[in-house]
């Protein structure tokens, strides 16, 4: 299995990310890459991707890493109010987390066939 090389330099200079600190990036990007591989039916690790698809995958890993970082940072908080100090906690499970991750990934993967279960991806 070949892992996709998405480093902090790519995140900050190509993706133009500013949300994730460098100390947290590796952990979030590894989790995101595993997730992207899962929702693309293992294709990102199985095939040598075309340059356009590879860039889309790298961008989707960054976007998903940001979603994961924000979800973890604000875990279980639905809303917060500083005036009277009021915090509302959500009762959300993994389905909500998964949906947010898919939404982040699909921004970049939508123009590829990687998410299409019926598409043949042999090349």
């Amino acid at each position: 299995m070949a892992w996709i090389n998405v480093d902090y330099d790519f995140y900050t200079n190509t993706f133009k990310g500013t949300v994730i600190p460098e100390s947290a990036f590796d952990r979030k990007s590894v989790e995101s890459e595993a997730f992207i591989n899962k929702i693309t039916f293992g294709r990102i690790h199985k095939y040598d991707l075309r340059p356009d698809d590879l860039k889309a995958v790298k961008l989707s890993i960054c976007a998903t890493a940001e979603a994961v970082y924000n979800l973890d940072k604000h875990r279980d908080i639905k809303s917060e109010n500083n005036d009277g100090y009021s915090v509302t906690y959500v009762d959300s499970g993994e389905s909500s987390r998964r949906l947010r991750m898919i939404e982040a990934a699909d921004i970049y993967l939508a123009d590829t066939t990687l998410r299409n279960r019926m598409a043949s991806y042999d090349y």
Side-chain angles (χ1 to χ4, degrees):
M1 172 170 71
W3 287 88
I4 308 295
N5 182 22
V6 180
D7 57 15
Y8 197 72
D9 182 62
F10 181 89
Y11 171 69
T12 56
N13 293 318
T14 303
F15 181 75
K16 306 296 185 199
T18 59
V19 173
I20 307 172
E22 189 170 4
S23 60
F25 182 76
D26 285 345
R27 172 76 173 96
K28 301 304 177 191
S29 68
V30 167
E31 179 181 352
S32 298
E33 181 173 342
F35 180 78
I36 299 299
N37 192 52
K38 181 178 179 178
I39 67 170
T40 59
F41 315 104
R43 292 175 175 151
I44 71 167
H45 290 162
K46 185 176 180 181
Y47 298 107
D48 290 328
L49 301 176
R50 293 184 292 257
D52 291 1
D53 288 350
L54 180 59
K55 185 173 183 180
V57 167
K58 286 182 172 187
L59 293 169
S60 71
I61 289 170
C62 292
T64 305
E66 280 193 350
V68 168
Y69 181 79
N70 284 328
L71 287 166
D72 290 347
K73 185 177 176 183
H74 303 292
R75 182 172 291 253
D76 301 329
I77 296 176
K78 182 176 181 180
S79 66
E80 207 167 347
N81 180 345
N82 280 342
D83 294 338
Y85 187 73
S86 171
V87 177
T88 305
Y89 294 93
V90 295
D91 183 24
S92 65
E94 284 301 306
S95 62
S96 174
R97 180 180 178 90
R98 178 178 162 77
L99 180 61
R100 297 278 298 275
M101 292 171 74
I102 287 173
E103 288 172 346
D106 277 347
I107 291 170
Y108 299 98
L109 297 177
D111 289 338
T112 72
T113 59
L114 293 167
R115 295 261 296 130
N116 185 336
R117 184 184 307 253
M118 303 305 282
S120 173
Y121 206 78
D122 293 332
Y123 63 103

